[in-house]
Amino acid sequence: MVQLASGSRVSDRSRSVHLVLSWVTTAARLVLGGVLLVAGALKIGAPATSVQAVRAYELLPESLVQIVGYGLPVVEIVIGALLIVGLLTRVSAVISGLVMAAFVVGIASAWARGLRIDCGCFGGGGQLADGQDPNYLWELLRDFGLLACAAWIVARPPGRLALDSVLGLTGSPKPDEENDGPDDAGDPSSENGSQGETS
Amino acid sequence: MSKRTSEAARARIAAQREAYRKQEQRRRITMVVTVAVVAVVAVGIGWWSVAQSRSEELAGDLSPVTVQSDGTVVMAKPGVTAPVVDVYEDYQCPACRQMEETSGATLKNLATEGKAKVVYHMITIFGQEPTKGNSLRASSAARCIADGDKWLAYHEKLYKNQPSESVNGFTLDDLVKWGKEVGVTDSGFESCARGQQKTAEHQEYSNKILSAQKITGTPTVMVNGKPLDSNTAFVPSALRDAIVNAAKG
């Protein structure tokens, strides 16, 4: 039987570290989810501008431009809301990480190709007028920061104040009972309990 | 360990396993329901987004379109002088093309219904090649068309054939060919377009608009002199409301 680290007696110190780390996850969820939700909400009402912003990157074929232009704001709103309430946290964080990675690639490539476009991140977007300069560096730094938030959430979901915990959707069904102390019988409620069940 | 305690332990483990199995089952059901609900909500949001931003269909005969002496083009029913909807566009600007595709029919319908006087101002917003040259060639050729209806058809034709911003496009051959395709029969058109006779006129007008600094980019739609934001100009229903409300106020 596998003995989990969490199954052994946990010192007060590592317990408080654990608590702090799960609050960090909550903060990362709120930042990433909040940005996504706002970005999606600002675009959802005018999908034609969103389509235009995607097209301005000149990376995707026209058919995909339409799909991404209409679909991205929906994905941003849904994933953003899920992250904020902590529902399907890990999957949402993975998707948002992929989305952020795509943004980073898009912006970096626009920069490298010398395009002069607005990223369209929060609505608007497209070609800039003369005299206006794109701010690619800031956009990239922001998206890398958000990517880091996503990575953190993927590593340590779902954090405090998460619906996943309330609904029992987390990987370990009884997280609170695992710290009860050593259980030589091999507590089946541990994360690896399913292995014991099938053997 | 005595036999009794080991039996008790076994029973306890069995009970725990059963409890765990039930819990896993509940977890799975909750997961499926959650994913389903999220999917339904996502589809709902997407549907709403598409539905509320749908383009209008052209309804009825177009109101008269007249080319003015300064090269601007007015589309309005006779006698309709307000509200004035000024549309500033560049033939090479992709966002302008997108706006024409999305909201062009709304502007035409509002003019047809006598609810707006639409004025097209074609300018060149680009300062670098190849976009600047593309824009100038197209604008110059369009100015060679004196008939309003043909101008409007040409305007659409140019947007449909808009080149990428990274290539030389709107070639003189194409510009002449498209003119004939939309029914320009005026004998002077070809030499005017090919000779780019209206370029200076266009540049002068364009510079006048840009130096007035009323607009910061293209497309800009102004209703009675007030610019609309893109969440209005690119959403047909919102654009219609903004213009109709301007007529009331």
Side-chain angles (χ1 to χ4, degrees):
Chain A
M1 277 293 171
V2 180
Q3 183 61 55
L4 290 178
S6 57
S8 58
R9 197 166 291 287
V10 185
S11 74
D12 283 349
R13 189 153 163 259
S14 75
R15 198 183 288 233
S16 67
V17 168
H18 206 77
L19 183 65
V20 169
L21 291 184
S22 64
W23 277 111
V24 172
T25 304
T26 308
R29 264 173 35 212
L30 291 178
V31 170
L32 178 59
V35 170
L36 283 171
L37 190 65
V38 169
L42 288 174
K43 283 184 286 206
I44 188 85
T49 58
S50 172
V51 168
Q52 179 46 42
V54 175
R55 186 181 292 130
Y57 283 90
E58 297 178 12
L59 282 174
L60 299 174
E62 187 55 30
S63 53
L64 276 179
V65 164
Q66 298 286 340
I67 293 170
V68 174
Y70 277 93
L72 187 61
V74 178
V75 170
E76 285 177 329
I77 286 178
V78 171
I79 295 295
L82 288 177
L83 283 171
I84 288 172
V85 299
L87 189 57
L88 308 175
T89 309
R90 184 170 251 160
V91 176
S92 302
V94 167
I95 295 172
S96 63
L98 292 175
V99 168
M100 284 302 155
F103 291 165
V104 166
V105 169
I107 294 169
S109 118
W111 195 0
R113 285 175 295 155
L115 295 183
R116 297 182 66 260
I117 59 175
D118 181 310
C119 72
C121 306
F122 299 95
Q127 182 74 34
L128 289 172
D130 260 13
Q132 284 184 285
D133 280 314
N135 202 343
Y136 293 128
L137 182 63
W138 155 243
E139 288 163 5
L140 281 177
L141 289 176
R142 183 195 57 210
D143 286 355
F144 269 119
L146 293 171
L147 187 56
C149 286
W152 178 280
I153 301 165
V154 172
R156 302 192 138 269
R160 295 277 143 172
L161 308 177
L163 271 185
D164 274 346
S165 307
V166 176
L167 295 174
L169 287 175
T170 45
S172 41
K174 294 181 191 167
D176 296 328
E177 289 173 30
E178 280 172 20
N179 293 339
D180 284 350
D183 188 341
D184 292 336
D187 185 359
S189 74
S190 70
E191 273 176 315
N192 296 40
S194 57
Q195 288 176 357
E197 191 178 38
T198 50
S199 62
Chain B
M1 209 181 272
S2 74
K3 202 180 168 190
R4 238 177 103 161
T5 49
S6 105
E7 259 171 23
R10 217 169 282 147
R12 190 163 64 91
I13 292 168
Q16 275 179 341
R17 278 193 187 155
E18 179 59 20
Y20 174 73
R21 202 183 57 75
K22 283 216 174 110
Q23 196 170 21
E24 265 302 282
Q25 206 172 18
R26 265 204 306 277
R27 191 168 91 91
R28 222 164 283 152
I29 292 170
T30 312
M31 183 71 84
V32 169
V33 170
T34 306
V35 169
V37 168
V38 168
V40 167
V41 169
V43 169
I45 295 173
W47 182 84
W48 173 83
S49 169
V50 171
Q52 63 92 37
S53 63
R54 191 166 288 148
S55 292
E56 292 185 13
E57 301 284 328
L58 276 183
D61 291 337
L62 275 183
S63 60
V65 182
T66 48
V67 179
Q68 310 293 299
S69 58
D70 64 354
T72 60
V73 177
V74 174
M75 175 169 68
K77 258 171 109 166
V80 176
T81 54
V84 178
V85 180
D86 289 299
V87 183
Y88 296 88
E89 294 180 335
D90 185 319
Y91 287 114
Q92 173 64 61
C93 136
C96 303
R97 175 191 173 171
Q98 181 70 48
M99 197 195 73
E100 278 300 326
E101 283 173 7
T102 308
S103 302
T106 303
L107 293 176
K108 288 170 187 164
N109 286 344
L110 285 167
T112 305
E113 295 159 24
K115 288 178 180 153
K117 175 186 174 188
V118 179
V119 186
Y120 290 100
H121 307 255
M122 303 310 299
I123 61 170
T124 293
I125 191 105
F126 297 98
Q128 289 168 330
E129 294 302 338
T131 44
K132 184 183 179 186
N134 291 349
S135 168
L136 287 177
R137 276 192 301 284
S139 309
S140 179
R143 275 181 176 250
C144 295
I145 301 174
D147 178 278
D149 290 336
K150 307 246 165 82
W151 180 91
L152 200 62
Y154 195 63
H155 174 256
E156 264 171 49
K157 189 88 178 172
L158 291 180
Y159 278 124
K160 263 196 196 103
N161 292 286
Q162 186 183 68
S164 151
E165 289 177 285
S166 52
V167 300
N168 274 302
F170 287 149
T171 63
L172 295 179
D173 285 346
D174 281 341
L175 291 169
V176 170
K177 188 183 78 183
W178 295 329
K180 288 177 180 158
E181 281 175 20
V182 301
V184 178
T185 47
D186 183 357
S187 57
F189 172 72
E190 177 155 2
S191 61
C192 175
R194 219 175 263 287
Q196 292 280 287
Q197 292 174 7
K198 304 282 189 182
T199 307
E201 224 178 274
H202 167 75
Q203 265 181 314
E204 194 190 330
Y205 184 75
S206 183
N207 289 340
K208 193 183 99 189
I209 296 296
L210 290 174
S211 61
Q213 295 190 326
K214 275 198 297 187
I215 64 166
T216 55
T218 50
T220 297
V221 178
M222 293 201 194
V223 178
N224 288 337
K226 286 195 201 110
L228 300 178
D229 67 19
S230 56
N231 283 338
T232 308
F234 284 79
V235 181
S237 56
L239 178 62
R240 173 173 279 276
D241 288 348
I243 293 172
V244 170
N245 288 338
K248 286 178 197 153

